[in-house]
Amino acid sequence: MYDFAIVGGGIVGLSTGMAIYERFPNAKVAVIEKEASVAQHQTGHNSGVIHSGIYYKPGSYKARFARQGSRSMTEFCQKHQIDHDICGKVIVATKPEELPLLDNLYERGLQNELAIEKIDADQLKEIEPHVAGLAAIRVPMAGIVNYRQVSEKFADIIRDHGGDILLNTNVEKINEGKDEVVIETNNGTVKAGIVINCAGLHSDRVAAAAGYKTDMKIVPFRGEYYKLKPEKRYLVKNLIYPVPNPKFPFLGVHFTRMIDGEVDAGPNAVLGFKREGYKKTDFNPKDLAETLTYGGFWKLASKFMKEGMEEYIRSFSKAQFTKSLQTLIPEIQEDDLVPAPAGVRAQALKDDGSMVDDFHIIMGQRSIHVCNAPSPAATASIEIGKEVARRIPEQSHLKEAAATI
């Protein structure tokens, strides 16, 4: 019998376990993970950026938790000697029509209480000599880290407190009773006072398994990358982003220096035919059928048909992918790029076709469901974990369970 069972061994589930122990040091916690090790999906296929929170609606969880999380993540890495680099990034306007958008983004960054700076083309050249831009925003608090290493340290801390990481354990059914939650898995039954759903790409299914119907569905979008050949890495000093297209809900292709010195270029954003589909050939009939029979997906697709087609063209045409990268760095050539591993974004869509724009937490009787935690969730993971732990005693039906810990 556990006090808390967390479904999902990614960075959000592990940070939640760590936060629970900070609040309830004598608790008994289990993290249930279906893979053979932690951080195997969104966390392990992450670009490794410590985000600032500049893009997000002021006052939203994303804005607040990214801003706070960039600090707490940096402090955690310093404390535990995890390699990281607060290298900063530039967000670049390359066309005259992007300059007003850059101004709007700068104002949003100020509203989000970020110490950012507008710079001109000459100042940009001093930071990123190979970038072609008219103006930019310098975001000094952005950085890079390996989130899989961070997650492994989170897991170590949970174990040090006496918690269990139950690997190769897949949740099949959840029965939420008056006094306990019974979780049926492929490795037997797990009982807990409270279950916390941090299942990422499967968070909607876990919520449904617990008996909760949400007005959203997780739709997977694969982000495909190239890497710069080692002899071309000099073209990118740190992090280079375009001004986001306000008509499209993704950031656009950009350049990311990784903590190991490699440079990623991308991603595009295409529909995944499998929730954990990291290759073009990955296919799961159930996953795809759920997406294609969901009205919300078709409403989204019709709204972004033109942009979606451009993403697919980039997916199958290296020349077009290269062309999009040349907008930022004209020197980039097709031969400079080699394929890199892809990632998958677990994006929650509503029935009306709108994307759930913020982190979304649903409170159950004896359960808490983190049902939308895409980027910048890795940056914000420590803060999300604290928020979940904070909510536990606030619910009157959970106070009794919390008080026994």
Side-chain angles (χ1 to χ4, degrees), residues 319-331:
Q320 287 301 117
F321 204 112
T322 304
K323 185 177 179 181
S324 65
L325 295 171
Q326 288 170 337
T327 303
L328 286 168
I329 301 182
E331 294 172 60

Side-chain angles (χ1 to χ4, degrees), residues 37-97:
S37 59
V38 300
Q40 288 300 297
H41 290 295
Q42 288 190 100
T43 304
H45 292 80
N46 192 290
S47 63
V49 174
I50 300 175
H51 289 283
S52 64
I54 188 172
Y55 301 108
Y56 311 113
K57 182 179 178 181
S60 65
Y61 279 134
K62 282 188 176 183
R64 290 191 293 115
F65 288 178
R67 183 181 67 246
Q68 296 162 3
S70 65
R71 291 194 292 265
S72 56
M73 181 61 66
T74 301
E75 291 168 1
F76 183 88
C77 292
Q78 290 170 341
K79 179 178 179 180
H80 296 282
Q81 298 181 327
I82 296 171
D83 287 343
H84 66 289
D85 184 3
I86 306 305
C87 57
K89 78 173 179 182
V90 289
I91 303 171
V92 182
T94 60
K95 305 170 186 175
E97 57 266 31

Side-chain angles (χ1 to χ4, degrees), residues 185-207:
T185 81
N186 61 315
N187 284 330
T189 299
V190 176
K191 294 183 179 181
I194 298 166
V195 64
I196 301 171
N197 168 15
C198 299
L201 284 154
H202 300 280
S203 57
D204 57 338
R205 290 174 175 171
V206 172

Side-chain angles (χ1 to χ4, degrees), residues 262-376:
E262 293 188 339
V263 175
D264 273 6
N268 61 354
V270 296
L271 177 67
F273 295 164
K274 180 181 179 182
R275 291 206 181 188
E276 294 161 358
Y278 303 103
K279 300 177 182 177
K280 291 183 177 70
T281 54
D282 285 342
F283 172 78
N284 181 288
K286 178 184 176 183
D287 291 351
L288 185 58
E290 279 192 14
T291 297
L292 296 183
T293 57
Y294 182 51
F297 166 73
W298 289 109
K299 290 173 183 175
L300 177 80
S302 62
K303 184 177 180 181
F304 296 109
M305 184 66 71
K306 177 179 179 292
E307 292 86 356
M309 289 304 299
E310 290 173 354
E311 296 292 307
Y312 265 103
I313 290 170
R314 275 201 289 266
S315 177
F316 288 95
S317 171
K318 186 179 181 182
Q320 287 301 117
F321 204 112
T322 304
K323 185 177 179 181
S324 65
L325 295 171
Q326 288 170 337
T327 303
L328 286 168
I329 301 182
E331 294 172 60
I332 293 285
Q333 299 299 314
E334 196 171 334
D335 289 344
D336 298 335
L337 304 171
V338 294
V344 175
R345 177 189 179 103
Q347 178 63 55
L349 296 187
K350 293 183 179 180
D351 294 344
D352 64 4
S354 63
M355 287 189 170
V356 179
D357 194 39
D358 206 357
F359 302 139
H360 191 70
I361 301 173
I362 296 171
M363 303 301 297
Q365 291 298 307
R366 282 191 167 271
S367 60
I368 303 174
H369 302 270
V370 182
C371 282
N372 189 57
S375 181

Side-chain angles (χ1 to χ4, degrees), residues 135-160:
I137 299 170
R138 188 175 75 88
V139 186
M141 66 288 299
I144 51 175
V145 71
N146 184 323
Y147 283 119
R148 186 170 289 183
Q149 290 180 0
V150 173
S151 299
E152 289 167 353
K153 178 54 66 174
F154 287 175
D156 288 343
I157 291 170
I158 291 170
R159 293 188 184 103
D160 290 344

Side-chain angles (χ1 to χ4, degrees), residues 380-402:
S381 57
I382 293 174
E383 305 307 317
I384 296 172
K386 288 177 181 177
E387 174 67 15
V388 173
R390 183 191 68 78
R391 288 191 180 208
I392 292 167
E394 286 189 353
Q395 305 301 311
S396 59
H397 46 272
L398 300 182
K399 281 181 180 176
E400 183 179 349

